[in-house]
Amino acid sequence: MKLKLKPAVLIALALVAAVVVAVRTDAPAQADDGRYSAEIRRTEYGLPHVSAKDYGGLGFGYGYAFAQDNLCVLASWVVTLRGERSRYFGPQAESDDPVRPVANLVSDVYYKSVAESGVVPRLLAQRTPLGPSDELRRLVDGYVAGYNRYLEQTGVANLPDPTCRGKAWVGPITATDLWNNVLDLDRMVGIAGMKEYVVGEAEAEGPERRPAAGSNAWALGRRATRDGHGMVLADPHFPWNGIRRFYQVQLTIPGVLDVSGASLYGTPVVQIGHNATVAWTHTVSHAQRFNLYQLDLVDPTSYRVDGRAEPMGRQEVQVTLQDGTVMDHTLYTSRYGPVLAAGPTDKVAYALADSNAANLRSADEWLAMARARNLTQLRAAQSTYQGMPFVHTLATDVSGTAYFADTSMVPHVTDAQADRCGKPSPIPGLEEYVLDGSTSACLWGKDRDAVVPGIFGPGNQPKLTRADYVANSNNTFWMTNPSAPLTGYPRVWGKARTELDPRPRVSLDMIAQRLSGADGLGDPGFTLETLQATTRGKRNYTFELMRPDLLKLCRTSLELTTSDGKQVNVREACGTLAKWDGRATLDGQGAILWREFFTRLQRPTRPGDPVFSPWRVPFEAAHPLTTPRGLKGDDPVVRLALADAVLYFQTNRIPLTLTPGQAQRYSSIPIPGCTEGEGCFDRVRMRGRLGTDGRYPEVDTGSTFMMAVELTRGGPRTRTILTYSLSANPDSPHHTDQTVLFSRGQWVTERFTEAEIAADPRLTTAKVRG
């Protein structure tokens, strides 16, 4: 999508109407004895195990270890959070947001306004749970001190990563930077993902959204596992570059905290992981996080609510450019939140209300979950903080109980209210998100058990507890377990009885085959080893569902006509697809040919035209796991798609047997897997089409931190793989070492206990102080 930026960009962000409280967030806090101290032990693949006597020291060790591996990524992101990218990199260059990159000027206007709005100081001035706990504050302060200590000792000119060595934009960070990072993470699928609509003028065709971050997650209970143990499979799908990468770590305060797993860069808490008795993971929930409110304008800077005029709030923001000149921006807001630059007329404007606009509680929630000894305590942590920004939670404990919940931040909008208050959307694709802002009757509702007004409380959230399993692959709550469908929740949570995408369907089929023993991996039921093996299958589910009809097409039509009228012989292509086993392994001959054919079935349609469905048997809500299926082999669209795909291979002399190992890479390492639409469990994504050289652009999204953990009475047994490896530094020995393992389908045996860590022959130990 293109953005048109005006000399003075109209934007609005949620300004906080509160008394300014003096909170020293930039002062370097210290431990009780005036110093920080931590021990950093590293095992194979450079994995850090950080231990300290208190939270301040633990944060210090974590920040120090992270800076050793990934200082440049966080340093660049701090420039973003401070709204200074235009100054260092130019206003029109693309920002470093890996999920939703925009022009630097757009980014700077947005983040400057956030930093100057007072939202973070206001939250820091509040007591827990609305504000951070003392433990979390000390952890954050220590992390900042540890990062800065490493930078001071090393020097900008001597940084090991050439990405930022000697750069003027590298410097010490502050606690405010880290709090702003937590806030931005929580806003990622809300206002932070709508920057250009807040700041710029979007083209009329609507948002050209990149696919949202995804994930797979299974929590297996005692009836699904061979030995009656609880197990968790974590497979988050996030970007492979930038600030939304995961960093693997173990954090220990003896007798207080001992958690192992992964943190998103710049956050000092484990978000996906386990301790000795509990394991959990997350998938992105597709529930709504925000609403647009249509404002009934009195004039350009005021609007009516319940018949009375209300003035918009106003904020002035300045952005410094590379040449030292300053651009001024006037910002407006409403009682609901920012007034969008997109969609205004002389009669109406639109404001964005984000349920995560003032949420820092997620970090405390993850910290409390890490201390939980069982599912009861984990649920209590979630009910106390209610800060989970946009993800489902799947968890288990040593009792072998499987737990699913969408405890995320969801606007309190009932179906009746949505029907009564609905208004046309100014942005295509957001038709269900717009409410009438001219009446207070359309304000978000309140639950008595909600920690803040305007969101659904724990008593109204989708939840399921089972002894067999719960699973999610970014589908709604409905098919968490097909034996116990969840229904009866407002549409804002997502819709029940709707078609499952191929990835959730193959996920549930993988579980069903393992529980029946039909997958060829031995006796029914999961073990840690079969859990790992299941994920290595690389099944392409759309090919499985369409293969019989495709082969029928091939038997009857060896000459097909392309979109431009050329005749093409598909005999060889059909032979290749007939021989392919339907798995997107490195050597899967036919996997890329199928992808190019299947992708062409998803051809765009003109506005108003019905979307073409290639399925021969349509979806039936009564049969969600077996429909849709089959291929409309006689449909001209299907025949054109196959002809066009084959012609592309032939014209560019690309072998029809092209494999994933030949076509898709990361840092020159071949990567297995297929794409979201094809129905691969551990999907990959490349930002672009297959080139004439038979290569895709580099893989930039897919499985990230994979964790298979079995909770036994004797302690956890865990296998992990960090797909892009620990360090973003291209000169680090740990830049791609785990990527090579991932390419081969291998895992790392986690070292969790003191004995396991001490037994590693590659163990190194360092004590750090500050």
Side-chain angles (χ1 to χ4, degrees):
M1 176 180 46
K2 299 177 181 178
L3 294 178
K4 299 175 183 177
L5 297 178
K6 296 180 177 180
V9 181
L10 178 64
I11 163 182
L13 287 171
L15 302 176
V16 181
V19 177
V20 176
V21 179
V23 179
R24 294 187 60 204
T25 59
D26 290 350
Q30 294 183 320
D32 293 339
D33 61 0
R35 292 184 61 84
Y36 291 115
S37 177
E39 182 176 75
I40 303 171
R41 292 178 291 176
R42 290 187 183 263
T43 52
E44 56 193 342
Y45 305 103
L47 301 178
H49 306 257
V50 182
S51 60
K53 65 180 181 180
D54 53 36
Y55 283 98
L58 188 65
F60 184 85
Y62 189 8
Y64 193 99
F66 178 84
Q68 288 178 308
D69 296 314
N70 294 296
L71 182 142
C72 289
V73 178
L74 185 53
S76 177
W77 188 244
V78 165
V79 175
T80 301
L81 294 172
R82 294 175 181 177
E84 296 178 345
R85 296 202 69 81
S86 296
R87 174 185 174 189
Y88 290 107
F89 306 108
Q92 298 303 328
E94 191 174 80
S95 70
D96 62 343
D97 186 332
V99 177
R100 190 70 175 162
V102 294
N104 281 335
L105 182 59
V106 173
S107 177
D108 288 343
V109 171
Y110 171 75
Y111 285 110
K112 275 277 189 180
S113 61
V114 174
E116 296 173 5
S117 71
V119 59
V120 166
R122 181 182 71 87
L123 291 171
L124 293 177
Q126 298 190 54
R127 295 181 178 178
T128 187
L130 300 184
S133 66
D134 289 341
E135 294 87 350
L136 181 61
R137 292 173 194 264
R138 293 197 294 270
L139 196 63
V140 166
D141 289 337
Y143 188 101
V144 169
Y147 175 102
N148 290 341
R149 180 62 170 163
Y150 171 77
L151 180 61
E152 177 187 24
Q153 288 178 336
T154 307
V156 175
N158 301 313
L159 290 172
D161 189 342
T163 309
C164 68
R165 184 187 302 137
K167 302 297 185 182
W169 46 268
V170 179
I173 63 173
T174 69
T176 296
D177 295 324
L178 244 62
W179 293 120
N180 279 330
N181 184 45
V182 172
L183 179 68
D184 189 70
L185 170 62
D186 291 350
R187 290 179 168 191
M188 188 177 80
V189 297
I191 188 172
M194 297 281 287
K195 298 182 189 76
E196 60 269 61
Y197 292 95
V198 175
V199 174
E201 293 183 3
E203 298 288 349
E205 66 266 21
E208 185 183 339
R209 287 187 172 274
R210 292 193 173 105
S215 300
N216 300 306
W218 298 348
L220 306 174
R222 54 189 174 274
R223 293 183 181 173
T225 62
R226 195 88 57 80
D227 296 322
H229 299 149
M231 294 185 186
V232 159
L233 173 69
D235 181 22
H237 298 169
F238 263 56
W240 281 28
N241 299 285
I243 197 65
R244 300 301 177 220
R245 282 173 42 130
F246 283 98
Y247 185 75
Q248 190 173 350
V249 69
Q250 182 175 1
L251 302 175
T252 305
I253 302 175
V256 176
L257 175 72
D258 194 9
V259 60
S260 184
S263 303
L264 289 169
Y265 281 18
T267 58
V269 292
V270 168
Q271 281 122 356
I272 291 176
H274 71 88
N275 55 36
T277 54
V278 180
W280 69 93
T281 186
H282 302 290
T283 61
V284 173
S285 159
H286 289 179
Q288 292 183 25
R289 307 295 154 201
F290 63 89
N291 286 110
L292 301 183
Y293 276 96
Q294 180 179 291
L295 305 181
D296 180 14
L297 293 179
V298 176
D299 56 50
T301 60
S302 64
Y303 58 98
R304 296 180 187 89
V305 179
D306 296 334
R308 296 184 177 183
E310 290 188 8
M312 294 182 184
R314 183 183 179 98
Q315 183 187 22
E316 302 293 337
V317 170
Q318 294 184 330
V319 174
T320 302
L321 306 183
Q322 277 180 307
D323 61 3
T325 60
V326 174
M327 292 191 69
D328 297 314
H329 304 268
T330 301
L331 323 178
Y332 293 96
T333 192
S334 68
R335 64 157 63 186
Y336 306 106
V339 179
L340 303 185
T345 69
D346 58 350
K347 294 182 179 180
V348 299
Y350 296 87
L352 191 154
D354 187 350
S355 61
N356 283 295
N359 179 19
L360 289 181
R361 301 184 304 279
S362 61
D364 257 315
E365 186 166 332
W366 277 308
L367 184 59
M369 288 168 61
R371 295 190 296 253
R373 300 299 181 218
N374 49 51
L375 285 180
T376 300
Q377 292 182 10
L378 183 142
R379 286 192 290 259
Q382 296 197 312
S383 295
T384 297
Y385 292 100
Q386 297 177 35
M388 203 56 66
F390 52 81
V391 290
H392 302 121
T393 299
L394 293 89
T396 190
D397 61 12
V398 290
S399 73
T401 302
Y403 168 72
F404 164 88
D406 190 343
T407 64
S408 60
M409 302 282 286
V410 175
H412 194 297
V413 179
T414 65
D415 289 350
Q417 186 182 24
D419 293 338
R420 184 180 71 251
C421 297
K423 291 290 183 180
S425 174
I427 303 173
L430 297 180
E431 286 77 12
E432 297 181 5
Y433 288 70
V434 186
L435 302 178
D436 185 355
S438 69
T439 171
S440 57
C442 295
L443 287 170
W444 294 346
K446 299 180 181 179
D447 276 351
R448 289 186 177 182
D449 59 347
V451 71
V452 292
I455 63 171
F456 285 101
N460 284 320
Q461 296 167 337
K463 294 179 182 177
L464 184 64
T465 301
R466 301 279 299 179
D468 52 358
Y469 73 90
V470 292
N472 188 268
S473 292
N474 306 121
N475 45 306
T476 68
F477 49 82
W478 179 39
M479 284 284 105
T480 296
N481 184 305
S483 298
L486 291 172
T487 58
Y489 296 94
R491 294 192 303 267
V492 70
W493 289 98
K495 296 178 182 178
R497 301 185 180 89
T498 56
E499 181 180 332
L500 292 178
D501 288 335
R503 181 162 60 89
R505 285 179 65 186
V506 76
S507 171
L508 293 172
D509 191 64
M510 288 160 64
I511 294 173
Q513 288 200 20
R514 179 80 301 268
L515 295 183
S516 68
D519 57 4
L521 296 177
D523 294 338
F526 283 93
T527 64
L528 184 61
E529 290 69 30
T530 57
L531 179 58
Q532 295 171 252
T534 300
T535 67
R536 291 195 294 263
K538 309 296 180 186
R539 292 170 59 187
N540 186 309
Y541 204 50
T542 56
F543 180 74
E544 292 181 22
L545 295 172
M546 293 181 172
R547 186 178 189 273
D549 290 322
L550 174 69
L551 297 184
K552 180 179 179 181
L553 166 62
C554 285
R555 288 193 296 270
T556 58
S557 303
L558 295 179
E559 290 282 338
L560 296 176
T561 304
T562 65
S563 297
D564 57 4
K566 295 179 180 179
Q567 291 294 114
V568 60
N569 188 300
V570 299
R571 179 191 297 272
E572 185 181 354
C574 285
T576 297
L577 292 172
K579 294 176 183 177
W580 180 42
D581 64 1
R583 297 180 182 266
T585 52
L586 289 179
D587 58 355
Q589 295 186 0
I592 304 303
L593 176 60
W594 172 261
R595 179 184 307 167
E596 290 301 303
F597 162 60
F598 186 80
T599 301
R600 284 167 172 79
L601 293 176
Q602 316 300 309
R603 63 182 61 205
T605 56
R606 293 174 298 181
D609 287 352
V611 176
F612 173 74
S613 172
W615 299 105
R616 178 173 52 80
V617 178
F619 170 73
E620 298 177 31
H623 304 285
L625 302 183
T626 56
T627 62
R629 66 179 182 272
L631 176 69
K632 295 177 181 176
D634 293 332
D635 194 290
V637 173
V638 174
R639 292 168 172 260
L640 281 174
L642 181 57
D644 288 348
V646 173
L647 180 63
Y648 186 82
F649 278 75
Q650 291 178 350
T651 300
N652 295 292
R653 300 180 183 275
I654 301 172
L656 293 166
T657 55
L658 184 71
T659 68
Q662 295 166 331
Q664 52 200 37
R665 304 276 175 130
Y666 177 79
S667 292
S668 301
I669 297 169
I671 301 297
C674 60
T675 59
E676 174 79 18
E678 295 174 88
C680 258
F681 183 71
D682 50 341
R683 61 159 183 159
V684 294
R685 190 190 75 186
M686 292 69 65
R687 201 171 296 181
R689 301 288 300 273
L690 181 69
T692 56
D693 60 351
R695 295 279 291 272
Y696 291 102
E698 189 162 280
V699 172
D700 75 340
T701 303
S703 296
T704 53
F705 171 69
M706 298 184 71
M707 177 184 74
V709 56
E710 178 182 17
L711 297 173
T712 76
R713 296 292 177 182
R717 298 177 61 227
T718 310
R719 306 293 183 265
T720 65
I721 190 71
L722 192 60
T723 59
Y724 36 64
S725 306
L726 191 71
S727 177
N729 173 8
D731 291 343
S732 168
H734 306 302
H735 181 57
T736 57
D737 52 354
Q738 289 195 64
T739 312
V740 173
L741 297 183
F742 175 68
S743 175
R744 299 170 179 167
Q746 298 174 322
W747 297 64
V748 176
T749 299
E750 182 191 75
R751 298 179 182 274
F752 181 74
T753 67
E754 285 298 309
E756 290 168 342
I757 295 169
D760 186 355
R762 291 159 293 275
L763 179 66
T764 63
T765 301
K767 295 185 182 297
V768 292
R769 298 180 182 275

